[in-house]
Amino acid sequence: EKVFANLEKAKIKELTLAPAGGEKVRLVRSSDGWRMAEPLTVSAATNEVDALLGSLESLEISEVVLETGADLKEYGLEPPRLSVGLAVEGAAGPLQLEVGDKTADDASLYARTAASPRVFTIAGYLESSFNKKPFDLRYRELLHIKRDDGKKLEVRGPEGAFTLAKDDKGEW
């Protein structure tokens, strides 16, 4: 059973990661890709965001622990160690996943959605997928050019300078 039935990553408009005691990260889909809106306003690393969305889209319940009436503190869900919020195109409201402690065997994580009182487990390896810091999700390329478009590269520093240039055959 999927945690979020019928979730399609192409319809996710906004993603929020809020670790307990950590820095909240909010990502927003724009016409030119994903942008980080909190804590910085910068472009987001498309490959990292896409991997995160893929994990959410395919997220499966491993085992239902309790249907109702749980003491959420016992599972690390009061407060949750991490909250993942999603704004989805066409959805009535936001979707929220709350992630708690690891199970006794360290193989799974306790979790729940805000829409249901059920406590369930998800695969433990997903912790690293959801536990992202702003640096992990920001776009980090220095130059926005294609390597083949470059014809000349000049490097200057306190010790001097040097230049690399392509010849007529396109070799450096």
Side-chain angles (χ1 to χ4, degrees):
E1 174 185 357
K2 286 194 172 186
V3 172
F4 298 115
N6 305 316
L7 179 65
E8 296 175 41
K9 66 181 181 179
K11 292 187 176 184
I12 298 172
K13 301 182 299 185
E14 189 172 312
L15 168 68
T16 303
L17 301 173
E23 203 166 15
K24 176 180 168 182
V25 177
R26 188 167 63 93
L27 302 164
V28 178
R29 187 187 301 267
S30 67
S31 59
D32 61 339
W34 285 91
R35 300 215 26 97
M36 187 180 300
E38 285 182 53
L40 309 165
T41 304
V42 295
S43 293
T46 303
N47 58 335
E48 291 289 334
V49 175
D50 196 48
L52 183 54
L53 296 178
S55 293
L56 288 164
E57 181 181 49
S58 62
L59 186 60
E60 296 272 341
I61 293 174
S62 299
E63 179 183 359
V64 176
V65 178
L66 287 169
E67 285 291 340
T68 185
D71 177 10
L72 298 178
K73 283 185 182 182
E74 184 180 339
Y75 303 100
L77 293 165
E78 185 64 46
R81 287 190 331 154
L82 172 70
S83 292
V84 180
L86 300 169
V88 181
E89 182 181 311
L95 302 177
Q96 182 132 355
L97 173 70
E98 296 175 349
V99 181
D101 291 337
K102 288 184 177 183
T103 57
D105 63 2
D106 276 353
S108 301
L109 295 164
Y110 293 110
R112 68 184 292 267
T113 62
S116 170
R118 285 196 312 175
V119 174
F120 51 86
T121 59
I122 58 175
Y125 69 85
L126 291 166
E127 183 174 30
S128 63
S129 296
F130 301 142
N131 193 13
K132 300 290 185 188
K133 296 180 177 19
F135 181 79
D136 300 327
L137 296 167
R138 66 179 293 217
Y139 185 76
R140 296 185 295 272
E141 286 187 28
L142 182 60
L143 302 173
H144 302 283
I145 61 169
K146 293 180 183 172
R147 187 173 83 177
D148 292 341
D149 290 345
K151 297 186 185 337
K152 182 178 174 182
L153 175 66
E154 189 171 329
V155 179
R156 294 176 193 219
E159 303 293 321
F162 66 91
T163 302
L164 299 171
K166 282 186 178 178
D167 61 20
D168 294 339
K169 296 177 186 171
E171 301 291 326
W172 288 95

